[in-house]
Amino acid sequence: MACARVPLDEQQVTEAGPLGNQRTLPALHPDRTEERCFVPYKPPPEGYSSAGVEEFLEHAKFILEDLEWLLALPHDKFWCQVVFDESLQRCLDSYLHHAPRGLDLAALPPSPAVADVQRGVHRAVFLTFLRMATHKESKENFFTPAVFGEIIYDNFLFDIPKILDLCVLFGKGNSQLLHKMIENIFTQQPSYYSDLEETVPTVLLVFDTVLDKCGHQCEGAAAMEPMKLNAHKQPTAMTMSQQDLADIILYLCDSTTTIHAFLDIFPAACSSFQSHAFLSRLTSFYETAVPDLEKAVRKRNFDNKSLQEDLWKRLSHSCRKMVETAHLLLHHTCLQPILEGRENMQTFAEDLLQYFTSFLPEKRFLADYDEHFPIADDISLLHQALPVIDETRTSYLLQGVQSAWDCVGRQKPQSHIHSRASPSFSDNQGAEGGAAAASSGGFKPQEVPDLRGRREDPQGAEAMLDVPRKGNNGAVCPVSEAERESLLFCIKDLLPDLGEGFLLACLEEYNYSSELVINNILEDRLAPNLEKLDRAMPRPVKKELPVVLNNRSNVFDDDEFDVFRRDQVDMSRIWKGRRKGESAREILNDKQHIEEQRARYRAYETVVDEVIIQPGESAAAYDLDDYDDEYDDTYDVNQVGANDLDGDSLLNRRPFTIPQVLRKGTKAEVEDEGDDDDDEQENALQNNTNRDQFVQDPALLRERADARRAAMQQRKGIQPERPSKVLGRPKGQGQTLDTFLDRRKKETNKSHVANHNRRSMADRKRNKGMIPS
């Protein structure tokens, strides 16, 4: 067996040969490879056929068993299998190529068995690459660092495309582990940096390809080629087929997500991307292609509305990842050195301002970038770190940002809250599992715990397919009725056996995120309150709102003209304006309503104190009860105090008087009421002097007011003001001194009312000799 403290690349092993003789071989030798065929990976079926699901489960279980067997091998056997078994590399490459990405998880069949097997294969592949990227597992099992770098590089165990796929597949929840893996690979084999430099131009071809498919002229080297004669026939986003449009958006979504995941996990690659002017190409592509693609997805008529919604979601995801990628490049190449206080901070600040200045022509990109990563905050940081920054230049940048918001027709948010340490959106925050795995395992590039026969899942692997339970930190995201119906329709297509009421409750719990609902239902990780619900629960019946007309309250309710409750109305009694054939005099002379009321009032004239029951009549006819021997009738006959001399007799009743408006004016009625009218007129004449007048005499009112004023002044000891004698005597009879003084006072004080002190200023000029007197 292998000797302790000796690197694996220097170890020699002795084992039996094919003929039974003993032979000595290097620890890494093809003859030590086990005969085992690793089958390639196939993704889960898109349909719901039981045969396809069964085939996938059987195929995936083979892969899972083979990878678990591989991970259980000793260190030397594991590396022999990794280096010399080509079927293993084909299996791993097929998984990186065909495994569903984050946005594809919603398309998995609604089967818990499929989700469990997929999660198991995902974890096994991740642990296999994790062990392949480790050159020292323990003090006894390790490689010489230089030899390890040559082995992984010469045998293509890792290359830049594989590393990109690893980042996008396993980055969420395992970012710290992946960062240490990739950093270890680049540290032990620096040749990967040169490969990265050669890969960036290929990545830039993604933007050129999309621009060319959308009918736009490409930038860079492709722009130097002469335009073809049939270039005007190039289809655009609005004219190409729906399948081509879907392929372009899927291609763009996959590319932007992969680039962002790689730069987020391995920030050291940002300098290589910036050396090829990646940021300027990215912003120019965003400004040119994104508006056309958004317009095509919104305005084209799709046969399948779910396809349109999926394309819009992927295009929005691509835009968000491009904005985040731009921020990552600026943060790690310009902002981070300033925050760390490195040398040549002025140079980094100048580069940052230069990048911001280059964003000014790209109005759409600038507004979207400023919405998520406010440029004003970065400029404020520059002023704090370097007070010598030109304020005129920064003011110009801020004005350009505001101009970009105005050009796109949007209103800039009032406040932004973002973390500079981890610039990403809420749906990309899933590193809790990776952080826990790193802290629990104590992973280091040179020292990794033994992975053979591990029976419990690391927390990082547990979180590989996990997604946050609530988006936007639990903030409520209200949606319209149409949007809610659209989300419900999409989930219902994937999960037809679930009731609409249950799905609506799930959408409300997960803030109307269809991806979270589908993922948690498939993985059976619903919230406790949702687990208690019936999964076939129908949609609750909407309570019909009561009709407003039935609940109205009006003075015309239930009358003969209530059209809301009567089907038949006497239209002969309804007319507009004056009736035909009627004159105003006839209407005024119609006293029918008075005759109707006269009979009612005549009923009150008859007041009967005693009712005489004639022989043969019963008391029941007059509602008279039988005699009650317990009734106290002491005072029924004796009217106590009724006939006192100090007043009229209470037994004398005042005769009933018919209202004036109901009288016919006959002679009998006039005579009956004549005496009473005379008495009332005499009393009215006697009290005429004391009755309230509508308008009193103004002279009398002034006398009363003067009397009250004089009494008040006398109480306060105020001398009454001398009456003015401006009028004086008639002309020719001479004037008194009081008249002369009053006239002079009036002349002097005229300026308080009008003429604006003209009189006093004239006197002042005259006194100074300016006006000859």
Side-chain angles (χ1 to χ4, degrees):
M1 294 297 296
C3 299
R5 307 290 182 176
V6 178
L8 181 62
D9 52 277
E10 299 178 4
Q11 291 181 12
Q12 301 288 329
V13 294
T14 301
E15 59 183 19
L19 301 178
N21 55 339
Q22 297 290 329
R23 61 175 181 173
T24 302
L25 298 174
L28 290 177
H29 194 274
D31 293 343
R32 302 193 65 202
T33 304
E34 298 287 342
E35 292 293 335
R36 199 175 187 95
C37 181
F38 291 84
V39 295
Y41 172 82
K42 293 182 180 179
E46 296 182 358
Y48 304 101
S49 62
S50 57
V53 172
E54 184 177 357
E55 180 183 1
F56 168 77
L57 292 177
E58 183 178 3
H59 197 86
K61 287 179 180 178
F62 287 149
I63 298 176
L64 183 58
E65 292 175 359
D66 291 340
L67 292 180
E68 289 178 349
W69 169 84
L70 177 67
L71 291 172
L73 292 176
H75 186 254
D76 55 343
K77 289 285 188 179
F78 172 81
W79 278 101
C80 289
Q81 206 74 29
V82 166
V83 174
F84 302 112
D85 191 348
E86 295 182 358
S87 65
L88 172 61
Q89 296 303 320
R90 287 195 297 268
C91 174
L92 296 176
D93 292 347
S94 64
Y95 185 82
L96 295 181
H97 183 69
H98 297 290
R101 269 57 175 172
L103 293 178
D104 300 330
L105 295 176
L108 293 179
S111 173
V114 172
D116 292 340
V117 173
Q118 172 63 27
R119 190 184 301 109
V121 175
H122 192 83
R123 170 185 172 274
V125 172
F126 175 72
L127 293 179
T128 302
F129 278 107
L130 178 63
R131 194 174 183 186
M132 289 168 54
T134 305
H135 73 282
K136 184 178 181 179
E137 292 185 3
S138 63
K139 295 181 179 179
E140 293 79 16
N141 301 319
F142 62 94
F143 274 101
T144 303
V147 177
F148 172 78
E150 293 178 0
I151 290 176
I152 62 174
Y153 190 79
D154 296 339
N155 294 279
F156 295 95
L157 300 183
F158 290 98
D159 52 25
I160 301 301
K162 282 186 179 181
I163 294 174
L164 292 174
D165 288 334
L166 286 173
C167 292
V168 73
L169 281 175
F170 305 103
K172 183 174 292 187
N174 304 280
S175 58
Q176 294 187 3
L177 284 175
L178 275 175
H179 172 73
K180 294 182 181 297
M181 286 173 52
I182 298 173
E183 187 178 28
N184 189 39
I185 292 171
F186 276 79
T187 301
Q188 306 306 330
Q189 181 54 267
S191 298
Y192 283 108
Y193 282 106
S194 59
D195 291 351
L196 180 61
E197 293 288 342
E198 296 177 0
T199 306
V200 175
T202 305
V203 175
L204 290 173
L205 289 178
V206 173
F207 302 140
D208 296 339
T209 302
V210 175
L211 288 175
D212 181 64
K213 294 294 183 181
C214 294
H216 296 285
Q217 187 176 2
C218 304
E219 295 185 4
M224 302 302 294
E225 299 179 358
M227 184 178 296
K228 300 179 181 180
L229 295 177
N230 60 348
H232 64 280
K233 299 181 181 179
Q234 184 74 17
T236 63
M238 291 296 295
T239 59
M240 67 176 60
S241 64
Q242 291 186 7
Q243 186 61 43
D244 292 341
L245 179 62
D247 292 341
I248 289 176
I249 294 179
L250 292 176
Y251 177 60
L252 178 63
C253 179
D254 184 67
S255 301
T256 54
T257 304
T258 303
I259 295 170
H260 173 265
F262 175 64
L263 294 179
D264 188 25
I265 293 173
F266 189 57
C270 291
S271 57
S272 299
F273 277 77
Q274 284 291 69
S275 62
H276 291 80
F278 182 84
L279 188 58
S280 62
R281 296 284 295 277
L282 176 66
T283 56
S284 177
F285 168 81
Y286 191 98
E287 192 73 16
T288 304
V290 168
D292 289 350
L293 293 175
E294 288 185 350
K295 179 180 178 182
V297 175
R298 282 200 315 265
K299 296 189 175 182
R300 291 188 59 166
N301 295 325
F302 285 82
D303 300 332
N304 188 359
K305 293 300 181 182
S306 60
L307 174 62
Q308 183 180 15
E309 295 175 359
D310 182 68
L311 292 181
W312 179 259
K313 179 175 62 177
R314 291 179 182 273
L315 182 58
S316 301
H317 181 79
S318 303
C319 296
R320 185 167 66 248
K321 292 305 175 184
M322 284 189 280
V323 172
E324 290 181 351
T325 300
H327 181 73
L328 284 175
L329 294 173
L330 292 178
H331 179 80
H332 292 293
T333 58
C334 300
L335 285 173
Q336 191 66 30
I338 296 175
L339 294 174
E340 295 175 355
R342 301 181 191 174
E343 297 181 359
N344 301 325
M345 292 175 56
Q346 185 69 31
T347 303
F348 293 115
E350 183 66 27
D351 293 342
L352 182 62
L353 293 177
Q354 186 64 34
Y355 283 124
F356 284 157
T357 305
S358 65
F359 292 168
L360 294 181
E362 320 296 346
K363 305 294 185 182
R364 172 68 181 274
F365 174 82
L366 184 59
D368 291 345
Y369 181 90
D370 185 66
E371 180 179 2
H372 298 289
F373 306 101
I375 295 179
D377 294 350
D378 296 334
I379 292 179
S380 176
L381 185 147
L382 292 181
H383 282 295
Q384 296 176 14
L386 297 171
V388 296
I389 296 294
D390 186 8
E391 293 187 1
T392 304
R393 186 176 183 182
T394 56
S395 300
Y396 172 75
L397 284 175
L398 295 178
Q399 292 177 2
V401 172
Q402 186 61 43
S403 176
W405 283 97
D406 297 338
C407 289
V408 298
R410 291 155 56 190
Q411 186 176 2
K412 185 176 181 180
Q414 296 297 327
S415 60
H416 300 276
I417 301 177
H418 287 282
S419 173
R420 297 189 179 278
S422 57
S424 59
F425 291 76
S426 60
D427 63 343
N428 216 18
Q429 301 292 335
E432 292 83 4
S439 61
S440 62
F443 179 88
K444 295 181 181 179
Q446 295 84 11
E447 190 171 342
V448 177
D450 190 5
L451 297 177
R452 292 175 295 167
R454 182 177 293 250
R455 287 177 290 179
E456 54 187 23
D457 298 343
Q459 297 181 18
E462 287 280 353
M464 282 186 289
L465 294 180
D466 287 359
V467 291
R469 286 220 171 234
K470 296 241 182 173
N472 299 328
N473 296 325
V476 179
C477 302
V479 296
S480 63
E481 184 69 20
E483 292 173 340
R484 187 177 67 170
E485 292 297 328
S486 177
L487 293 174
L488 181 62
F489 178 76
C490 294
I491 302 177
K492 192 68 176 176
D493 284 347
L494 298 175
L495 307 172
D497 56 330
L498 299 180
E500 294 184 359
F502 175 75
L503 294 179
L504 287 176
C506 294
L507 285 172
E508 184 178 357
E509 174 69 20
Y510 295 105
N511 296 328
Y512 297 95
S513 175
S514 58
E515 295 85 356
L516 294 180
V517 173
I518 295 173
N519 185 72
N520 290 326
I521 291 177
L522 294 180
E523 296 184 358
D524 199 15
R525 294 191 297 111
L526 292 173
N529 58 329
L530 297 177
E531 291 287 354
K532 301 177 182 178
L533 299 178
D534 181 15
R535 298 208 171 194
M537 181 176 62
R539 178 183 295 195
V541 180
K542 290 185 178 180
K543 295 182 179 179
E544 295 185 359
L545 296 177
V547 182
V548 180
L549 298 178
N550 294 336
N551 293 335
R552 71 185 184 96
S553 298
N554 199 297
V555 295
F556 303 107
D557 286 347
D558 300 321
D559 64 1
E560 57 180 332
F561 300 112
D562 189 359
V563 295
F564 298 107
R565 293 180 175 86
R566 290 179 177 269
D567 296 333
Q568 300 294 334
V569 178
D570 187 5
M571 300 301 297
S572 63
R573 300 195 58 189
I574 301 175
W575 65 88
K576 183 178 181 181
R578 183 185 302 173
R579 274 188 178 183
K580 295 182 178 180
E582 281 189 347
S583 63
R585 186 174 299 278
E586 293 177 354
I587 296 175
L588 294 177
N589 292 336
D590 185 9
K591 305 300 181 181
Q592 181 181 358
H593 60 287
I594 298 178
E595 295 294 338
E596 294 174 355
Q597 297 295 330
R598 179 176 286 108
R600 177 182 299 179
Y601 278 92
R602 285 193 179 278
Y604 295 102
E605 290 184 2
T606 304
V607 180
V608 180
D609 292 336
E610 296 180 0
V611 178
I612 302 174
I613 301 177
Q614 299 296 333
E617 293 182 352
S618 62
Y622 299 94
D623 295 332
L624 298 177
D625 299 331
D626 296 337
Y627 177 76
D628 188 2
D629 57 353
E630 296 183 0
Y631 179 72
D632 186 7
D633 56 357
T634 304
Y635 301 100
D636 285 354
V637 179
N638 300 328
Q639 302 293 335
V640 179
N643 296 323
D644 293 343
L645 298 177
D646 57 350
D648 296 335
S649 176
L650 297 181
L651 301 178
N652 297 331
R653 296 182 179 274
R654 184 178 185 274
F656 180 78
T657 303
I658 300 177
Q660 184 71 25
V661 70
L662 299 178
R663 297 179 185 176
K664 292 183 177 180
T666 60
K667 182 176 181 180
E669 291 182 354
V670 173
E671 291 177 355
D672 293 341
E673 302 295 337
D675 297 338
D676 295 337
D677 293 342
D678 294 341
D679 296 340
E680 292 177 359
Q681 290 178 3
E682 291 178 1
N683 295 333
L685 292 175
Q686 293 176 2
N687 299 329
N688 187 29
T689 57
N690 297 328
R691 65 184 181 85
D692 294 336
Q693 298 180 357
F694 182 72
V695 178
Q696 298 186 19
D697 187 5
L700 181 60
L701 295 177
R702 284 194 295 270
E703 290 179 2
R704 294 176 181 175
D706 292 341
R708 288 195 300 270
R709 190 181 306 108
M712 181 189 66
Q713 292 178 353
Q714 184 176 5
R715 287 196 306 269
K716 295 184 178 180
I718 302 175
Q719 294 294 331
E721 186 178 357
R722 181 177 59 82
S724 177
K725 299 181 180 180
V726 178
L727 186 59
R729 300 174 181 175
K731 189 175 182 181
Q733 296 184 6
Q735 305 297 334
T736 62
L737 178 61
D738 293 339
T739 302
F740 175 76
L741 293 177
D742 289 343
R743 289 180 176 178
R744 184 175 181 181
K745 180 179 179 181
K746 177 182 178 182
E747 188 72 17
T748 303
N749 295 328
K750 283 171 62 175
S751 59
H752 293 291
V753 180
N755 295 328
H756 308 286
N757 279 341
R758 188 177 301 166
R759 183 66 59 185
S760 60
M761 297 304 296
D763 293 341
R764 182 179 178 184
K765 292 180 180 180
R766 186 179 295 107
N767 295 335
K768 291 186 177 182
M770 301 174 64
I771 299 176
S773 56

